[in-house]
Amino acid sequence: MDRDIFKTLCAGVVFTKKNFTPATGFLPKEENTKSQPSKADGLDKPKRHKKKKKKNKNAEQRKQEFGNLEDFEQLSSYGVLPRLIENIKKAGFAEPTAIQKEAIPVMMDRREIMACAPTGSGKTAAFLIPVLHYLREPRNNGFRALILAPTRELAKQILDVCKQLSVGIGFRCHYIEKASTATSKFGPKSKKNFDVLVSTPNRLVFMLNQDPPLIDLSNVQWLVIDESDKLFEAEGSQNFRDQLATIYKACSSDKVRHALFSATFAFDLQQWARKTFHNVVEVTVGASESGKRLAIRDIIRKGIEPPVLIFVQSKDRAKELFSELIYDGINVDVIHADKTQLQRDNTVASFEAGHIWVLICTELMGRGIDFKNINLVINYDFPTTAVSYIHRIGRTGRAGRPGRALTFFTEDDLPNLRSIANVMRRAGCPVPAYMLKLGRPSKRERKRTVPVKRKHISTVRHDGTQKSKKRKVDQPNNVNTGESSTLNDKSNETNRRGHQKMKPKKGNKNKKTKISKTPVNENIEA
């Protein structure tokens, strides 16, 4: 009977499975009550509560599984050899850095990792400690760990740290100096009495491309790529992408695990790692105040193209940063409210004439001066508002000229990070997805534009004594910075750009030469 009524009412109507919704109004009263679950059945709210509880439980398990490494003594709970822990302390690592706390437990669990941390944060030890722990002891099975670096200097630096950590354990750590001598050492006819290989891609690929290959990587169980963002750049003849593809195929063991470490990660590199690696864990550690100091020194060491403008949030911090950079072999000066108008005019004129390469200033000072032809703007201290950010970076890339802007941020700057990321996204710049997913600041936080309270930049105490111990913590033994080039190796970088290396000049307080005053433009378009 019910079926006949349904046919009559639905005559000429075509139902599809996708859009079909049962007409419960035509069902008998008994069936209608059964089709709607009641709260007493325990299928409505309690079911959702159970699901949520299970999700939280999994999150706690993951946190318990990896966790943070608060002290190097905790490595004994992972089964790390006591001699390796002793070598870590002797190498100058007093306590784990932020990246070591996050990355070491992940690699101890044999998970593939993509770790991003600032320069000088201890990335080298972050991957060497778990790799040496996994190798456990020397074996005559050929290379079981391969570490790639973009430059020879960085490769040798990693090798030195690896040897320091291997004292008393017996790991054979090697570096390819020449392909001809490496063939007899590591070729097919060798005794395979080696464990760790640190190399640049060029020489390694040359040996792999020979017929037959001059080196065997089939037993490699850890492939680590340090400064991977540089290795994945494809510029001219140094096409690291093709070289890495050759090395990746040569490490053919089914037990091989991969690790990428770098100070920055490009978007295409992140996408490649997510597709290529198995169940990769992404670890990102923000910069600290000491990390910013190391990062700006690294930028200068690699070579800058003057003029460069650096923004800080106060005149005291401008003075401190100036006192740190004045002895780094560059022409740097500072402009702030404590200087007289004549001193400020002289500084600006020298900056525009090219006698000063890097100028440090506060935002208030920077807004009142019309700087021209700035090649690079560095926001050493994160701007408090999006308007402030626009004013700062607006100093470069004017009148159709190319320009770059770098912005440092720490965990204290996260409340203001999303607004700046939206400005960058609207301007067409690539922005990491996590920045856009950050929580919105409250109305009170948006109205509050008070600068973040930061630690002192200067390594000199207020009483005039030097913080030698703290500098040692920032960069223990000068071997775990994760960077390759030394100052001597890179000293001619700026000269190649057409700028002669000059001794840093002191302030222009006693300068008698008259310099015409630069017109001040108060109205600056954002």
Side-chain angles (χ1 to χ4, degrees), residues 302 489-500:
K302 291 176 181 176
D489 294 330
K490 292 287 183 177
S491 60
N492 295 324
E493 181 71 25
T494 312
N495 296 342
R496 289 197 292 270
R497 298 179 180 272
H499 298 278
Q500 187 177 0

Side-chain angles (χ1 to χ4, degrees), residues 78-81 84 108 128-136 171:
Y78 293 94
V80 177
L81 294 174
L84 180 56
M108 288 289 190
L128 277 179
I129 292 172
V131 166
L132 295 180
H133 162 69
Y134 183 77
L135 298 184
R136 203 68 186 171
F171 289 120

Side-chain angles (χ1 to χ4, degrees), residues 139-162:
R139 295 178 186 175
N140 296 335
N141 294 334
F143 289 115
R144 292 178 290 149
L146 173 62
I147 302 169
L148 296 178
T151 62
R152 180 178 60 182
E153 292 78 15
L154 178 58
K156 288 187 175 181
Q157 201 171 357
I158 296 172
L159 181 67
D160 291 340
V161 184
C162 189

Side-chain angles (χ1 to χ4, degrees), residues 7 11 163 218 231 250 274 280-281 288 314 342 381 406 409 513:
K7 284 183 178 180
K163 288 181 178 180
S218 59
L231 287 171
R274 288 166 185 164
V280 63
V281 177
S288 60
S314 67
L342 179 61
D381 291 334
L406 297 176
F409 66 93
T513 306

Side-chain angles (χ1 to χ4, degrees), residues 183-192 194 213-214:
T183 303
S184 57
K185 278 185 179 181
F186 316 129
K189 297 181 180 180
S190 63
K191 296 180 180 179
K192 295 188 177 183
F194 32 78
L214 302 179

Side-chain angles (χ1 to χ4, degrees), residues 84-98:
L84 180 56
I85 299 176
E86 183 182 345
N87 291 340
I88 293 170
K89 294 179 180 178
K90 286 183 179 180
F93 301 100
E95 59 183 18
T97 62

Side-chain angles (χ1 to χ4, degrees), residues 101 210 215 257 313 332 379 389 436 510:
K101 290 179 181 179
Q210 303 303 312
I215 192 169
R257 294 291 183 269
Q313 70 183 25
V332 60
N379 292 317
Y389 174 77
L436 301 175
N510 300 323

Side-chain angles (χ1 to χ4, degrees), residues 204-265:
L204 189 59
V205 169
F206 173 78
M207 298 180 68
L208 291 172
N209 286 336
Q210 303 303 312
D211 190 19
L214 302 179
I215 192 169
D216 183 19
L217 301 179
S218 59
N219 290 326
V220 170
Q221 299 175 18
W222 267 112
L223 172 59
V224 181
I225 306 173
D226 195 15
E227 296 301 331
S228 52
D229 55 340
K230 299 174 186 175
L231 287 171
F232 275 76
E233 292 175 357
E235 297 181 0
S237 59
Q238 289 188 336
N239 193 338
F240 286 117
R241 293 174 185 269
D242 295 338
Q243 294 175 346
L244 285 173
T246 303
I247 298 171
Y248 191 85
K249 291 179 182 178
C251 301
S252 55
S253 173
D254 56 348
K255 296 181 180 180
V256 66
R257 294 291 183 269
H258 307 86
L260 299 182
F261 282 79
S262 182
T264 58
F265 277 127

